[in-house]
Structure formats: C-alpha cells, structure tokens
Amino acid sequence: MPSANRRVVVTQRFFDRETIDYLERTGCEVVVADLPPGQADGNLTQGELETILAGAAGWIVGHARVTRELLTALPELLVVSRRGVGYERVDLDAVRDLGRVACIAAGGNDASVADHAIAMMLALGRRFRESQDNMLAGDWSILMGSDLFRKTVGIIGLGRIGRSLVQRLQGFEAEILVAAPDRDPDYAAAKRITYVDLPELLSRSDYVSLHAPLTPQTRFLINAEALALMKPTAVLINAARGGLVDDQALLDALRAGTIAGAGLDTFVSESDPGYRPVSEALLALPNVVGTPHAAASSREGLDRTNRVAAMSVVAVLDGRSPPAACVVADGRA
C-alpha cells in the first residue's frame, strides 16, 4: 500500500536540485539536513540522527550507521536508501526484522569509480606526485615512469565496478586477470579476461585493483602475506572499502620496497580512528596517491546516484518494489 507519509530526509551533501524536483513531483516533502561544514552523516550520533529523522518515512543516507536501536527509535521510517553501493554499515537483520527496506544506488557510480581507479594507475605509473613535488623543490629532472599500456592488471571482485574497469582496460590492451568467487565463462570469453586464484593474480599483476565488498571474510584480504606475493614493481589500488587492506602491513611494505606504490581512496581509519596515524603515514609517502573516499564523487556520478537512491525511496513509498539490484534487505510482508 502507498504510504501517506512522504517526508524524505537527505543527510548527504551535493544533493542536486533536479533530484529534489523529482521527489517533490512524486508528492514527497524533501528535507536536506543542514550539516556543519566538514561534517558528514557518518559523524552524527544516534541522538542527532533521531532528531534529524523524526517523522521521516524515507532516508537518503551516506555513511551513517543504520542500527537496530536507531530503526527502533524511528517507527515511521520505511526505507533507507544509500547514495552509494556499500552497505556494511546497515544492520540488514534489523531492517528485515522491523519490516523496513534498505537499498543501494546500484549502477549509479560504476563509471566514476572505474575512472578513478584508472586515474590512480596512471598517476602512480607515471609518478605524477613525485615529479610535481620535485619540481616545486627546484628539481626538474625526469623520473622514469611506466605505462599502463599492455600491462597485466589484476581485478579482485567482478561486480558492476569491476566490469566497468574491464571495459576501460581493454583500451590499454591490458592483460586482465580476475579473482572472484563466481566465474562467468561466457563473460570471460567475450571480454578476454582470465580467472585465476588470488595468489596467482597477486604474483603476476603489474597493477592490482580491489573491487570487492567488505565482509568478515574479506577483511584484511590484502595483508602482509598477500603483499609479499606481489612484484616489487607492482602498484595496489583500493577504491573499494577500507578494511580490505591491512593498512599497517601496506605501510610496512611500501617502506620496505615490497611493492612500488599504492592508490588509496579508502582507509581503515574511516571506521577505526585508531588507524588515523597509519593513514597519515601512508599519505606522507611519495609513492602513495590518496583521496578521501571520493572515487564516486564526480558531479555526474553523484547526480546519478542521487537519482537512483531517490527512485528507490519513491518506489517503497508508493508500495512498489525498487529494482532488484538496488534492494539489499526487504522486511515487508
């Protein structure tokens, strides 16, 4: 049944006017939370979230934790829609138990994240940061870099973003290795990729790019032992989730020359502040390119994910089902 309550609260920055207009055309009352500069919804306490979300039927969320306690305190909240694709901060069991719906913005940021991963590969291979730092210090000598062209690239995880990366790498004539739990032989033949196990991928790849979800099984998937398998000339890219990489082990490996460099859009310290000194030490290295979990944050990517997240909210408030790829938990009878 359609919901009479159509109040939708947005706790994300950069929520575009066109998507707000779309929500309002469907009869929604839209409230965009006025967060202080520099503050994200992931930093809000449960009490602050309860105040902001009071009376809301829909919530378009970024990185806030969606807990059983929070959902219980918000009985009118029917749907939580992430402007993004990760959902490790959402208590899916609580969503189901309490009859709510949790969604992700599937397909909205695939291109943006894949572009970001390519950009990091190129920046590290051609040593952009090191070159500019040297030039600013008065040293204009040329640093020898390396191409992405015809290199071996290992992709860990082959969901929507991983497949978008495959498409881009074909323009570089790269040899593409994939480690993923499910293997699609038809896709492999069509895209000329090779499925391998993780140790082989790590030992053969010039670039390793992570595109797996963070689960208890994948936490610290790239640890000291995994890094030791990589080539000393190899580069690691993590534009997926902080926690897939043991950042302390990565710091040790980079300092020891075990691998050549790293492109990091996500860090363990995002969820564990105790790792902040490790993140800062990584960012201080000349062979690290870092960004603040910004891979999906192009103007176009955010507009797309805003719209997908909003469409899922409207579907639930209308009593319909969002696209299957967007639903991660549905507790409606």
Side-chain angles (χ1 to χ4, degrees), residues 50-74:
E50 288 179 19
T51 299
I52 291 169
L53 294 165
W59 178 18
I60 296 177
V61 61
H63 296 286
R65 293 194 179 276
V66 183
T67 64
R68 183 179 295 271
E69 292 74 18
L70 181 61
L71 292 173
T72 301
L74 299 167

Side-chain angles (χ1 to χ4, degrees), residues 2-180:
S3 171
N5 179 2
R6 300 184 74 84
R7 181 181 177 87
V8 177
V9 173
V10 179
T11 57
Q12 274 283 48
R13 297 185 185 278
F14 311 115
F15 202 76
D16 64 292
R17 184 68 242 180
E18 186 175 341
T19 302
I20 293 173
D21 290 344
Y22 160 76
L23 286 166
E24 290 177 342
R25 287 196 303 272
T26 65
C28 294
E29 174 197 358
V30 183
V31 178
V32 179
D34 184 18
L35 301 180
Q39 185 171 28
D41 61 5
N43 304 124
L44 296 173
T45 66
Q46 179 170 316
E48 290 170 328
L49 287 170
E50 288 179 19
T51 299
I52 291 169
L53 294 165
W59 178 18
I60 296 177
V61 61
H63 296 286
R65 293 194 179 276
V66 183
T67 64
R68 183 179 295 271
E69 292 74 18
L70 181 61
L71 292 173
T72 301
L74 299 167
E76 295 182 70
L77 186 63
L78 302 178
V79 53
V80 176
S81 189
R82 275 222 65 232
R83 189 186 72 181
V85 295
Y87 49 89
E88 67 273 4
R89 296 189 176 200
V90 181
D91 186 334
L92 300 183
D93 289 336
V95 169
R96 297 185 188 98
D97 292 345
L98 297 171
R100 319 297 174 84
V101 182
C103 300
I104 58 173
N109 62 18
D110 304 354
S112 303
V113 178
D115 284 357
H116 200 90
I118 291 287
M120 284 186 153
M121 291 178 195
L122 293 170
L124 287 156
R126 300 309 299 266
R127 303 175 71 178
F128 287 168
R129 175 180 176 178
E130 294 171 81
S131 293
Q132 184 163 337
D133 286 347
N134 286 354
M135 292 168 72
L136 288 170
D139 180 0
W140 285 53
S141 59
I142 295 172
L143 296 177
M144 189 67 67
S146 60
D147 289 338
L148 179 54
F149 177 61
R150 292 186 176 173
K151 287 298 193 297
T152 299
V153 181
I155 301 176
I156 300 174
L158 196 63
R160 291 176 299 270
I161 295 170
R163 292 187 179 215
S164 291
L165 183 58
V166 167
Q167 181 178 346
R168 285 152 177 75
L169 288 168
Q170 289 177 333
F172 292 91
E173 300 181 25
E175 178 185 5
I176 303 171
L177 308 178
V178 174

